[in-house]
Amino acid sequence: MPPTLRDPFAFGRSSLRLGSVFGIEVRAHFLWLMLAMVLAFVSPPFLAYVLVLFLAVFLHELGHSLVAQHYGIHVVEITFWPLGGMARMTEIPEDPRIETNIAIAGPLVNFALAALSLLALFLSLGVGFGGAANAALNFLGINMMLGVFNLIPAFPMDGGRVLRAYFGRTQDWVRATERAVRIGRIVAGTLVVLSFFLPVWTCMIALIAAFVWFAGAQELHAVRMRHGLSPFGGFSQPGAAPPPRPTAAEFREPRTHGPESSEGTAQRPHNWQGPEVRHSGGFSEAEVAELERFRGRLKPPTD
């Protein structure tokens, strides 16, 4: 179901609707619009550079979105804000392969654009088009920067999501998220220390570190709640019993809009259709093993 159409000047949501592509709304946060207006007044050439940067950001987020749609996940919108862009999805199934493919798609788009820019650079130099060569070189640098930066293992950035998916292959999703959040916080602290040696970028690096810290904590809270745990509990200790898995009654079909949707965070799996089991006073060992192997929505028992 497509998202509900809203007033283009959705002041309550602090963003302006720019249009849609592949059924995905594209919006710009008003802080981003204010930044663009200030740059237009102070430095039009720098504004042009920022607009090219956000074109690469948009294509990056579109890569995430199209792969998510391939897996049947509803993408609500792509929103620009001063620190970049964000694809908001209703949910991402707790499946390492799906999360890896969605997360890696954005950086791969940037690397593909960088390769095309490199080809354009060589062609421009070959025919003596200096202006086109400079533009190609700038676009090459922007895409390489975005691709490499987003692969930093700082959850919930793309690299951090790939890291959680890697942990999720052998651990439950709560433990995998906790490990990814721990590493993300180490990276955030490192970024803060690094910002003192890069005074020009201190504010930007500090904002990114704050985003990694608080957005990672927010998603960890959501994962814990989904598994019936206290959202503000401490991190699991090695060797502790695994957290409980959600029961069939706790799963519902995901909402396509509203408070349960999130900015690129995992919500309830949408494609759980669990195996048929007998309900005659308990489960056999074979049925338990089948349930443990299955990643999907468990059907409620039928009378």
Side-chain angles (χ1 to χ4, degrees), residues 46-293:
F46 189 62
L47 172 63
Y49 177 83
V50 171
L51 292 177
V52 173
L53 170 64
F54 273 88
L55 171 62
V57 170
F58 168 70
L59 295 174
H60 173 105
E61 297 301 330
L62 188 62
H64 290 311
S65 302
L66 294 180
V67 174
Q69 287 184 335
H70 169 75
Y71 288 108
I73 299 168
H74 178 62
V75 182
V76 179
E77 64 190 21
I78 295 174
T79 303
F80 294 122
W81 58 304
L83 286 182
M86 185 173 295
R88 191 161 68 95
M89 306 173 192
T90 53
E91 43 79 30
I92 298 178
E94 294 183 356
D95 184 295
R97 182 177 64 88
I98 293 177
E99 176 156 70
T100 297
N101 291 342
I102 294 174
I104 204 69
L108 287 180
V109 167
N110 291 126
F111 292 140
L113 292 172
L116 292 175
S117 300
L118 185 61
L119 176 61
L121 175 62
F122 288 144
L123 292 177
S124 300
L125 292 175
V127 297
F129 289 163
N134 287 334
L137 182 61
N138 287 333
F139 201 55
L140 169 64
I142 286 173
N143 280 284
M144 287 300 299
M145 176 191 69
L146 287 175
V148 172
F149 178 76
N150 278 281
L151 287 178
I152 294 175
F155 187 83
M157 295 174 61
D158 298 337
R161 291 188 178 280
V162 172
L163 185 64
R164 176 174 68 172
Y166 175 78
F167 292 147
R169 297 186 308 166
T170 56
Q171 294 181 312
D172 61 83
W173 209 246
V174 176
R175 294 277 176 78
T177 305
E178 288 178 349
R179 291 185 67 182
V181 168
R182 281 197 189 100
I183 295 174
R185 290 179 174 180
I186 293 173
V187 174
T190 303
L191 289 175
V192 171
V193 173
L194 181 64
S195 69
F196 290 106
F197 300 94
L198 300 171
V200 176
W201 299 98
T202 296
C203 181
M204 181 67 71
I205 294 176
L207 288 174
I208 293 172
F211 168 79
V212 168
W213 188 283
F214 291 106
Q218 183 182 28
E219 181 153 347
L220 176 58
H221 294 166
V223 171
R224 283 172 170 168
M225 290 180 65
R226 192 163 63 249
H227 285 255
L229 302 174
S230 170
F232 303 105
F235 288 89
S236 302
Q237 299 299 319
R245 292 185 60 85
T247 65
E250 292 172 334
F251 279 99
R252 302 190 302 273
E253 288 300 315
R255 298 171 60 177
T256 57
H257 58 83
E260 288 188 332
S261 63
S262 64
E263 285 74 5
T265 60
Q267 296 294 328
R268 296 182 180 87
H270 73 293
N271 58 346
W272 286 48
Q273 297 294 331
E276 294 286 352
V277 294
R278 291 178 288 103
H279 299 279
S280 57
F283 295 97
S284 68
E285 291 185 1
E287 289 171 339
V288 170
E290 184 180 4
L291 288 170
E292 290 177 341
R293 290 193 303 270

